[in-house]
């Protein structure tokens, strides 16, 4: 199965060549017709052109014996049959190789004048090479016979190779239009008309109708494609061959021998192909350019529609000012953003005096950046009448001529009002959240009655101060104090008065503390004063002054007079916060036991 897949295409090509060759010989030997076009030459070129070059050796090895065997079976000597097969393979491979290079690939069709000329030259050069290879093996051959054989091969390659490739393409894939090798049904009517016209032109000698045949060929190429022009020529050849069967000559009106008439007809066909095909290719190239231009215009219109749709969807406006001619181009969106009627687009004239408040800022930015080379951006606010304020973000680019002078200004604006409002609302919400978080943190760390740091926050500050004193040295002291006989105050005056007394003591303690000190409430009527970086004698003085201030601070108020007792402890290396407070607490109890209203220092 795998071997058959590798040999299938070469074998099929050989079968097609054999059928065309046998049919041509039957037409000549049994029906008495003349061979105007050697169709097998076109089949060979189509076979080489239709496969990749890396498979050409395999193709040649299959076609050589098949061609030689076919020629041998019809009576050609084996040596001559082999020589003909070799010349045919060389001729076909050379033409296919040059054709692929001329077109730039096997899948491309000829569209330019140069390509048509290149393909025609490839056919003529390849057929000449094949004919020269076969010359030494022919017993006798006149120049007329050589010319007939050469022109028959050229016509076979030029006409049949493209037609067979078109048939192959239609069998293997769906075409779409003339460029893919398909033909329209109306072409058959034209081919029938060309057949009748050529039947008259080849028999009537009173009026020269040959130019009409050329014109019909060009019309077919322009209207239906180059393949159609080849079908027209193929019709001419078929009519000439049919005439040779009926009357013995492809051009009866010439009054010469069949061989001479065949050579004249072949020469006329080659000349017609050489002149008409390039003209048709040029016309088709122009039509192709026109189709491409129409397609590009359609794409531009579609792009413009999409751009306008994007403008409407994204709320974008554009504006361009030609400084040389003074022409402006405003999009309707741009005018609406500037608070002007959309109906003024595209050129509303001078709009400065018609702009709502804030619009003058646009032209101020443009004037300020008149020498700027890069795109510059700015945001400005505009207040159209009876509308809310709009925020526009503008991107502008200056265009400069060859002399470096500004020749035009192009700008794109976007309405970012909603975006700005969302950002402002987001900032407001963020600031409010941060404020609430700060307040929440403050409430979590503050005693609600006195406004002093609460127990948790005070102890956390103490731990930090202990770490600093442990690592970097420096004095640290804790003054633990509470209100003397506070229970009696509550019992006698009530809890409301008791709370006010606590607030007053806190106020006095806060007034005595310095920057960097920590005064916190750690219990009901119990406070602590943390002092860092102060010598011991100064700390003792601060503690004594605090006791005196509390004792005197209630004079002249409606609150009952109270005193405090305080315990003072100094930090020692290795202490923790609990150790420091424990020694201060012990000193406080000593002060309580000694009669209260005094300060005692921890041992």
């Amino acid at each position: 199965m795998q071997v058959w897949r590798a040999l299938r295409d070469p074998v099929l090509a050989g079968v097609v060549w054999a059928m065309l060759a046998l049919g041509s010989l039957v037409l000549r030997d049994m029906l008495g017709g003349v061979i105007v076009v050697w169709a097998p030459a076109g089949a060979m070129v189509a076979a080489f052109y239709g496969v990749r070059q890396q498979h050409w050796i395999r193709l040649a090895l299959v076609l050589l014996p098949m061609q030689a065997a076919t020629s041998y079976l019809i009576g050609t000597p084996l040596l001559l049959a082999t020589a003909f097969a070799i010349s045919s393979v060389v001729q076909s491979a050379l033409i296919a190789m040059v054709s692929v290079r001329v077109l730039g690939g096997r899948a491309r069709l000829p569209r330019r004048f140069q390509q048509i000329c290149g393909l025609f030259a490839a056919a003529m050069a390849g057929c000449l090479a094949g004919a020269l290879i076969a010359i030494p093996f022919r017993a006798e051959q006149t120049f007329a016979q050589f010319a007939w054989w050469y022109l028959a091969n050229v016509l076979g390659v030029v006409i049949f190779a493209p037609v067979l490739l078109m048939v192959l393409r239609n069998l293997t894939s769906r075409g779409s239009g003339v460029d893919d090798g398909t033909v329209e049904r109306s072409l058959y009517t034209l081919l029938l008309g060309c057949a009748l016209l050529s039947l008259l032109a080849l028999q009537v000698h009173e009026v020269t109708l040959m130019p009409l045949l050329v014109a019909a060929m060009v019309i077919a190429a322009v209207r239906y494609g180059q393949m159609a022009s080849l079908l027209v020529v193929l019709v001419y050849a078929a009519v000439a061959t049919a005439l040779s069967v009926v009357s013995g000559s492809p051009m009866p009106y010439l009054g010469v021998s069949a061989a001479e008439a065949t050579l004249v007809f072949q020469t006329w066909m080659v000349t017609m192909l050489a002149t008409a095909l390039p003209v048709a290719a040029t016309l088709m190239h122009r039509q192709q350019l026109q189709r491409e231009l129409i397609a590009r215009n359609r794409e531009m219109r579609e792009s413009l529609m999409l751009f306008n749709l994007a403008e409407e969807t994204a709320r974008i406006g554009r504006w361009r000012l030609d400084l040389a001619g003074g022409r402006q181009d405003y999009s309707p969106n741009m005018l609406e953003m500037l608070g002007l009627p959309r109906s003024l687009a595209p050129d509303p004239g001078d709009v400065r005096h018609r702009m709502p408040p804030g619009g003058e800022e646009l032209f101020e930015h443009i004037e300020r950046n008149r020498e700027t080379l890069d795109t510059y951006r700015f945001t400005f606010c505009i207040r159209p009448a009876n509308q809310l304020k709009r925020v526009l973000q503008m991107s502008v680019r200056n265009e400069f001529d060859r002399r470096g002078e500004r020749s035009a200004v192009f700008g794109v604006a976007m309405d970012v009002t909603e975006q700005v409002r969302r950002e402002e609302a987001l900032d407001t919400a963020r600031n409010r959240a941060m404020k609430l978080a700060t307040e929440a943190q403050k409430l979590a760390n503050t005693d609600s009655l006195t406004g002093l740091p609460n127990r948790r926050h005070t102890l956390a500050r103490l731990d930090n101060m202990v770490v600093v004193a442990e690592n970097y040295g420096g004095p640290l002291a804790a003054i633990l104090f509470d209100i003397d006989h506070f229970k009696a105050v509550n019992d006698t005056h009530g809890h409301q008065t008791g709370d006010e007394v606590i607030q007053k003591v806190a106020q006095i303690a806060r007034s005595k503390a310095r920057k960097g000190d920590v005064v916190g409430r750690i219990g009901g009527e119990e406070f602590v004063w943390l002092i860092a970086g102060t010598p011991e004698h100064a700390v003792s003085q601060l503690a004594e002054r605090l006791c005196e201030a509390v004792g005197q601070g209630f004079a002249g108020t409606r609150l009952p007079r109270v005193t405090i007792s305080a315990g003072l402890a100094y930090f020692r290396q290795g202490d923790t916060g609990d150790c420091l407070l424990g020694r201060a607490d012990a000193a406080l109890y000593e002060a309580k036991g000694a009669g209260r209203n005094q300060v005692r220092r921890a041992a």
Side-chain angles (χ1 to χ4, degrees):
M1 182 62 69
Q2 190 173 2
V3 174
W4 165 243
R5 289 179 180 177
L7 299 178
R8 180 184 59 187
D9 292 341
V11 170
L12 290 177
V15 170
V16 171
W17 183 92
M19 292 176 60
L20 291 175
L22 292 175
S24 299
L25 295 178
V26 168
L27 178 66
R28 184 191 65 181
D29 299 336
M30 300 181 63
L31 299 179
V34 297
I35 298 177
V36 177
V37 178
W38 182 242
M44 282 288 289
V45 172
F48 277 90
Y49 188 87
V51 301
R52 299 181 182 276
Q53 291 190 10
Q54 56 263 36
H55 299 155
W56 281 9
I57 295 179
R58 182 173 62 196
L59 178 64
L61 293 177
V62 174
L63 291 178
L64 273 171
M66 291 186 69
Q67 289 192 34
T70 302
S71 300
Y72 180 74
L73 290 177
I74 61 176
T76 304
L78 182 59
L79 180 61
L80 186 58
T82 303
F84 286 167
I86 293 174
S87 67
S88 178
V89 169
V90 172
Q91 166 184 299
S92 303
L94 180 61
I95 295 173
M97 179 178 63
V98 176
S99 299
V100 170
R101 292 186 177 181
V102 168
L103 295 178
R106 295 188 304 112
R108 299 185 178 182
L109 297 176
R111 298 184 183 275
R112 299 179 180 276
F113 176 82
Q114 296 86 345
Q115 292 176 333
I116 294 293
C117 294
L119 293 177
F120 205 84
M124 297 189 70
C127 291
L128 180 61
L132 293 176
I133 292 175
I135 283 180
F137 300 93
R138 292 181 181 273
E140 293 182 1
Q141 181 173 273
T142 63
F143 177 78
Q145 292 174 333
F146 176 83
W148 162 77
W149 179 249
Y150 170 68
L151 293 177
N153 275 269
V154 170
L155 292 173
V157 170
V158 173
I159 299 174
F160 267 92
V163 172
L164 291 176
L165 288 173
M166 177 193 70
V167 173
L168 179 63
R169 191 179 297 115
N170 288 339
L171 292 176
T172 56
S173 62
R174 289 185 177 182
S176 58
V178 178
D179 289 341
D180 291 332
T182 60
V183 292
E184 300 180 15
R185 292 183 178 180
S186 59
L187 175 60
Y188 297 114
T189 303
L190 176 64
L191 294 178
L192 179 60
C194 291
L196 297 176
L197 181 62
S198 63
L199 186 61
L200 292 175
L202 296 176
Q203 296 185 87
V204 177
H205 61 277
E206 289 84 359
V207 181
T208 302
L209 300 178
M210 291 300 180
L212 295 180
L213 299 182
V214 178
M217 177 182 172
V218 174
I219 292 173
V222 174
R223 175 64 180 83
Y224 300 99
Q226 294 174 352
M227 197 63 62
S229 65
L230 297 178
L231 292 176
V232 170
V233 177
L234 185 60
V235 168
Y236 296 163
V239 171
T241 303
L243 286 176
S244 69
V245 173
V246 175
S247 60
S249 173
M251 301 180 72
Y253 78 90
L254 290 179
V256 297
S257 65
E260 292 175 335
T262 301
L263 191 59
V264 170
F265 182 75
Q266 288 177 325
T267 305
W268 175 76
M269 288 186 67
V270 170
T271 304
M272 182 174 62
L273 288 171
T275 54
L277 282 180
V279 173
T282 302
L283 295 176
M284 289 183 62
H285 180 60
R286 290 183 179 179
Q287 287 188 340
Q288 179 65 22
L289 292 178
Q290 185 178 7
R291 287 194 294 268
E292 292 177 358
L293 181 60
I294 294 174
R296 290 182 181 180
N297 289 337
R298 183 172 60 251
E299 292 176 358
M300 289 179 63
R301 288 195 300 270
E302 293 175 354
S303 299
L304 183 59
M305 292 176 59
L306 291 175
F307 182 72
N308 291 334
L309 180 61
E311 277 191 352
E312 294 292 336
T313 304
R315 298 291 298 165
I316 296 175
R318 52 185 168 79
W319 163 70
R320 186 179 185 277
L321 170 62
D322 185 355
L323 297 175
R327 181 178 178 182
Q328 299 182 99
D329 183 11
Y330 281 84
S331 69
N333 270 359
M334 186 68 181
L335 291 172
E336 184 177 3
M337 290 180 187
L338 296 177
L340 300 175
R342 296 171 64 95
S343 58
L344 295 178
D347 192 347
D350 188 2
V351 299
R352 297 196 184 196
H353 64 286
R354 307 170 66 177
M355 297 279 281
E360 66 279 356
E361 188 177 349
L362 166 65
F363 297 97
E364 290 176 0
H365 279 285
I366 294 174
E367 184 63 26
R368 193 180 306 128
N369 292 275
R370 59 181 301 111
E371 303 296 334
T372 303
L373 299 178
D374 299 327
T375 302
Y376 58 94
R377 297 174 178 84
F378 56 90
T379 302
F380 67 100
C381 298
I382 193 167
R383 299 171 182 82
N386 302 323
Q387 297 184 29
L388 296 176
K389 180 185 69 174
R390 291 179 182 173
V391 182
L392 303 183
Q393 187 178 71
M394 195 81 181
S395 297
V396 182
R397 187 174 185 87
N398 295 321
E399 298 178 11
F400 296 91
D401 56 21
R402 294 182 179 180
R403 296 175 298 177
E405 297 181 359
R406 189 172 65 158
S407 58
V409 181
F410 181 80
V412 175
M414 177 179 292
D415 190 339
V416 294
T417 304
E418 295 300 326
Q419 178 182 347
V420 171
R421 289 174 181 170
R422 287 194 298 268
E423 291 177 353
E424 290 176 350
L426 183 61
D427 289 340
T428 301
R430 185 186 299 111
N431 294 334
R432 182 179 180 184
M434 292 177 62
K435 182 178 180 180
L436 291 175
T438 302
E439 292 177 354
Q441 184 178 11
K442 182 178 180 181
L443 291 174
N445 295 329
T446 303
D447 175 57
S448 59
L449 180 61
T450 63
L452 296 176
N454 59 18
R455 178 180 179 85
R456 182 182 63 83
H457 187 52
T458 301
L459 296 180
R461 292 288 303 274
L462 174 61
D463 290 338
N464 291 335
M465 297 170 75
V466 167
V467 171
V468 173
E470 181 74 27
N471 294 334
Y472 301 101
L476 174 63
I479 302 175
L480 190 65
F481 60 97
D482 67 1
I483 303 173
D484 296 331
H485 303 294
F486 182 73
K487 184 177 182 303
V489 173
N490 275 336
D491 293 343
T492 303
H493 301 282
H495 289 285
Q496 177 64 34
T497 301
D499 288 345
E500 293 178 1
V501 169
I502 291 175
Q503 290 174 338
K504 183 63 175 180
V505 171
Q507 178 184 354
I508 295 172
R510 187 188 293 113
S511 66
K512 296 300 179 183
R514 305 160 310 164
K515 185 177 181 180
D517 293 349
V518 177
V519 178
R521 182 187 179 198
I522 60 175
E525 72 276 11
E526 190 174 24
F527 302 85
V528 66
W529 184 1
L530 304 176
I531 304 173
T534 303
E536 294 182 4
H537 68 278
V539 174
S540 298
Q541 293 177 2
L542 291 174
E544 295 291 346
R545 292 173 184 171
L546 176 61
C547 287
E548 293 176 2
V550 172
Q552 300 173 3
F554 286 82
T557 68
R558 64 177 182 81
L559 298 175
R561 184 176 180 180
V562 297
T563 60
I564 62 171
S565 298
L568 174 60
Y570 296 100
F571 174 78
R572 300 171 183 171
Q573 287 294 324
D575 273 348
T576 62
D578 292 338
C579 292
L580 182 59
L581 285 184
R583 287 190 285 108
D585 187 57
L588 173 60
Y589 274 101
E590 288 183 10
K592 292 282 189 180
R596 294 180 173 84
N597 192 23
Q598 56 185 290
V599 178
R600 287 300 175 98
R601 175 179 175 179

